[in-house]
Amino acid sequence: MTKQELALAAIEKLKEAYPDAECSLEYSEAWKLLVSVRLAAQCTDARVNIVVEDLYKKFPDVNALAAASVDEIEEIVRPCGLGPSKARDISACMKILRDEYAGNVPDDFNALLRLPGVGRKSANLIMGDVFGKPAIVTDTHCIRIVNRIGLVDGIKDPKRVEMALWKIIPPEEGNDFCHRLVLHGRAVCTARTRPYCDKCCLNDICEKHIDN
């Protein structure tokens, strides 16, 4: 089986196992996802979803958050960890959206990368979830699982994994495929315990069958 054939098989099996693929960060506007993905670094999505409720009550739009002091933002987002750096990035990012994009999130990948605190993973997530464009989000679940099943060979660097997956994943499937890998990584192909290979929907096509 070629890597492309393996990828297509994995996509179909994950679709059946996790038909409702979506981002676990809750948001109603593009800028809110931008804030949440920054807060999600080294923090659970569940905690982020709770913390942003208080943030948006006090600062309900881009202009309000751009006008807030870094200290005010940090006071609210501190439970997500790395409060000072996250607050600085959010403040700077909202100011750029206000001053350069009329309060809107740009739908250009390279423009997103120029925003403070936005890396390739975050930019891909926004491109896929907000704008419905081809995207591959190489988070820790994605990197772990695609290595285990043999879609990539011992590659741990997120950008290199992303580039490898672009070659074998149909563009229209990439975003949902990565969301399904997150669900599968949390429930079955786990990192901190031995993976539950006996109940894995990818068991018959997986290269490893063991934690790696």
Side-chain angles (χ1 to χ4, degrees):
M1 185 182 291
T2 66
K3 290 190 184 300
Q4 189 168 32
E5 290 170 339
L6 178 61
L8 294 175
I11 287 168
E12 292 308 312
K13 289 176 179 292
L14 289 168
K15 277 184 181 180
E16 185 175 346
Y18 309 98
D20 301 318
E22 59 183 17
C23 180
S24 54
L25 292 169
E26 298 171 359
Y27 67 97
S28 57
E29 299 174 74
W31 69 272
K32 292 183 177 180
L33 181 58
L34 197 58
V35 170
S36 289
V37 294
R38 182 64 188 97
L39 293 177
Q42 300 182 39
C43 181
T44 66
D45 290 357
R47 180 178 292 276
V48 171
N49 289 337
I50 294 171
V51 169
V52 293
E53 290 183 10
D54 290 334
L55 186 67
Y56 301 148
K57 283 179 184 176
K58 189 167 185 179
F59 308 111
D61 54 40
V62 170
N63 288 337
L65 196 50
S69 71
V70 172
D71 288 344
E72 287 178 302
I73 298 172
E74 182 187 347
E75 183 179 353
I76 297 173
V77 305
R78 189 177 295 118
C80 293
L82 305 175
S85 62
K86 290 180 178 180
R88 285 195 300 270
D89 285 342
I90 289 170
S91 176
C93 188
M94 293 301 110
K95 284 179 169 63
I96 292 173
L97 294 189
R98 178 194 64 191
D99 298 340
E100 299 182 23
Y101 296 103
N104 299 309
V105 175
D107 63 352
D108 177 79
F109 187 80
N110 290 321
L112 288 170
L113 288 180
R114 288 192 289 269
L115 296 174
V118 177
R120 296 189 66 86
K121 182 176 75 171
S122 300
N124 268 299
L125 179 64
I126 291 165
M127 291 297 288
D129 272 38
V130 173
F131 300 114
K133 296 186 177 182
I136 290 179
V137 180
T138 51
D139 72 343
T140 56
H141 295 292
C142 173
I143 294 169
R144 180 176 71 255
I145 295 172
V146 298
N147 271 282
R148 283 178 176 173
I149 68 177
L151 289 180
V152 302
D153 301 311
I155 305 174
K156 305 299 184 181
D157 176 72
K159 184 177 179 179
R160 290 182 62 207
V161 172
E162 180 192 335
M163 295 301 105
L165 292 179
W166 278 119
K167 297 176 182 177
I168 58 175
I169 303 292
E172 69 277 8
E173 298 286 358
N175 192 52
D176 286 346
F177 174 67
C178 292
H179 282 322
R180 292 185 172 103
L181 289 179
V182 171
L183 297 175
H184 192 61
R186 288 173 177 167
V188 179
C189 198
T190 54
R192 296 184 179 179
T193 64
R194 189 176 180 87
Y196 302 98
C197 297
D198 58 320
K199 61 179 181 180
C200 178
C201 63
L202 304 176
N203 187 289
D204 60 330
I205 61 171
C206 179
E207 186 178 89
K208 304 297 183 184
H209 303 290
I210 58 172
D211 56 335
N212 185 11

